[in-house]
Amino acid sequence: MKVAQFLDFEWRAFALAVAGSALLCGSPSVADEVDGQAKFAAPQRIKAGEAFVGAGRLYPSPVFYDVNGDGHKDIVVGDLFGRVTFAAGTERGLTPETPLLDSSGKALKFQNW
């Protein structure tokens, strides 16, 4: 996957929040409306494999995108230190997070400051 493909985001209807270093997700498609306000179910931590997505990282910032073109939404997570990981979406859930690699096989890292 080329970086240009990664940057061509396809935003979907997801409400995401970061609480400490826990990645939480709620979907507006399952929100109820009460008194004209959308009410979401309690957020749940997302697991990729056996571990929580973004665990132990500062300010994990996710995006859902079909990175590998298989029709399943994958999750790409960047953090405060510029590390970028990827968890592939499958019919059974997300695979464990792995570093997102550039064309030379090195882990992508973006400098934030």
Side-chain angles (χ1 to χ4, degrees):
M1 185 201 72
K2 295 179 181 169
V3 174
Q5 291 172 322
F6 165 70
L7 294 176
D8 184 22
F9 288 34
E10 181 179 348
W11 292 99
R12 294 291 184 199
F14 283 95
L16 296 168
V18 176
S21 64
L23 183 64
L24 307 173
C25 180
S27 174
S29 62
V30 295
D32 293 323
E33 188 174 321
V34 177
D35 298 326
Q37 299 287 325
K39 300 293 180 186
F40 298 91
Q44 296 182 11
R45 293 183 71 184
I46 301 170
K47 276 195 161 185
E50 295 298 315
F52 289 111
V53 172
R57 296 166 67 182
L58 292 177
Y59 302 103
S61 301
V63 65
F64 288 90
Y65 182 74
D66 184 8
V67 174
N68 54 15
D70 66 357
H72 298 286
K73 289 296 176 191
D74 309 312
I75 189 167
V76 178
V77 182
D79 65 20
L80 179 67
F81 296 106
R83 293 175 295 201
V84 182
T85 57
F86 162 77
T90 69
E91 291 178 6
R92 291 184 239 151
L94 293 168
T95 63
E97 278 183 277
T98 59
L100 196 58
L101 307 177
D102 66 14
S103 60
S104 66
K106 294 181 183 177
L108 284 177
K109 185 172 180 183
F110 296 94
Q111 299 302 322
N112 291 335
W113 52 81

